[in-house]
Amino acid sequence: MNTHYLNPAGRLFEFLNYVWLASDQLDAKSVWGLYLDVIPEQEPAKFFRAIGGVLALPDEVRTSVAGVQDGPFSRERLLRALPAAEAALSIAPQLPSYSVAQMKLHYDKGTLADLETCSELLSHGRQGGRDIEFAGMENSLAGIRSLADEIKVEATESGLPSDVATLLWRNADAIVRAVDMYRILGTESVIREFDAFVGSLVTKPVAGDAARNTPALWDKVQKLSKEIILMEAAFAVPGQLMITAGNFWTAIQPGVSAVVSALAS
């Protein structure tokens, strides 16, 4: 997995670098759509949600940098790229009217270099940082997406009450959309949507009971819990305390058990 996707500076770098490498003659809207894996004319709602995620990245960078302890670079240095990056993103309201060449007038290779440096500092010391890369992350995301899709199917085909089926479908679909947008929203968004999914089952006992009493559905909920917690643990453990992939499940199984117990209570 590209480790720049693990922090907002890296995600902003990857997006702007993608545009930078695109042909100047292309229209910016098409290039944004290609990066976001959305055809704007066919999925306008998804496209505009994704744009919202892009526009939020500079503020997310500021928040992340504010939490960094003193290091080799000042906070001002780490944030130096943001004015140019925000100028480039400011074309969003008039996106169809801009070419790639016009967008690139707002930033340069120095902007990209500054964002790359900021990203590397923000990822330093994390399990998923550049020193130690968790190679199975994209496979994990694919598995999470597949399980969430399967939960959507089970929710609609298991004879559940319509309000319960709708609740489960919407929460599972939110996880699918978060996985699809991880290059912009990060894996944190996937975890947040899973937390919301679990929360809906805990705070709505009827839905929780219905899920537990539907074996095929409940099996997928538990498998999804395992995949999410594995992914979260992969980036929560400092590099020097790394647990090998083969021992991950043993190390974090109590966390999964806690999730299942909360759902069952």
Side-chain angles (χ1 to χ4, degrees):
M1 181 183 186
N2 184 332
T3 56
H4 283 309
Y5 297 142
L6 302 178
N7 67 81
R11 295 194 287 271
L12 184 55
F13 164 77
E14 287 293 336
F15 175 73
L16 291 178
N17 191 51
Y18 184 87
V19 176
W20 186 264
L21 296 174
S23 173
D24 286 350
Q25 288 70 41
L26 294 175
D27 64 275
K29 182 178 180 181
S30 296
V31 174
W32 285 37
L34 287 170
Y35 185 83
L36 300 170
D37 197 24
V38 182
I39 300 175
E41 293 74 20
Q42 294 182 9
E43 301 176 282
K46 183 178 179 181
F47 183 61
F48 287 116
R49 281 197 301 269
I51 287 179
V54 173
L55 297 180
L57 286 174
D59 281 342
E60 292 178 11
V61 174
R62 291 186 177 92
T63 299
S64 295
V65 169
V68 172
Q69 297 180 350
D70 292 340
F73 300 106
S74 68
R75 288 183 174 81
E76 291 75 14
R77 168 69 173 78
L78 294 174
L79 298 175
R80 188 168 65 183
L82 292 189
E86 288 177 316
L89 300 182
S90 71
I91 71 168
Q94 296 85 34
L95 194 56
S97 303
Y98 278 80
S99 67
V100 167
Q102 289 172 310
M103 179 177 169
K104 286 161 64 173
L105 292 174
H106 294 291
Y107 68 106
D108 55 27
K109 289 185 176 180
T111 307
L112 297 174
D114 285 341
L115 285 172
E116 188 172 26
T117 297
C118 183
S119 172
E120 290 173 351
L121 186 142
L122 291 176
S123 289
H124 179 69
R126 296 179 64 180
Q127 173 82 358
R130 201 169 283 279
D131 293 336
I132 303 172
E133 185 173 353
F134 186 63
M137 180 54 62
E138 289 187 343
N139 289 335
S140 178
L141 285 167
I144 288 168
R145 192 189 194 287
S146 178
L147 284 166
D149 270 331
E150 290 175 17
I151 289 172
K152 289 168 62 177
V153 173
E154 292 290 343
T156 55
E157 296 184 356
S158 297
L160 297 171
S162 60
D163 57 336
V164 173
T166 298
L167 176 69
L168 292 170
W169 192 96
R170 287 178 176 172
N171 279 280
D173 187 59
I175 294 173
V176 170
R177 289 189 280 109
V179 171
D180 288 345
M181 290 289 104
Y182 84 93
R183 292 194 302 170
I184 292 297
L185 303 178
T187 55
E188 309 96 287
S189 177
V190 180
I191 294 166
R192 284 196 300 269
E193 295 298 348
F194 172 72
D195 288 344
F197 179 74
V198 172
S200 70
L201 297 182
V202 172
T203 60
K204 294 180 172 58
V206 172
D209 288 342
R212 287 194 301 277
N213 292 327
T214 307
L217 173 62
W218 188 241
D219 178 63
K220 290 176 174 58
V221 169
Q222 292 185 82
K223 288 179 179 177
L224 180 63
S225 300
K226 175 181 176 179
E227 290 296 328
I228 292 285
I229 293 174
L230 277 168
M231 183 181 71
E232 186 171 16
F235 297 109
V237 180
Q240 64 270 26
L241 299 177
M242 182 181 66
I243 304 171
T244 62
N247 293 331
F248 255 161
W249 178 238
T250 299
I252 67 168
Q253 189 171 8
V256 176
S257 299
V259 170
V260 175
S261 296
L263 293 174
S265 62

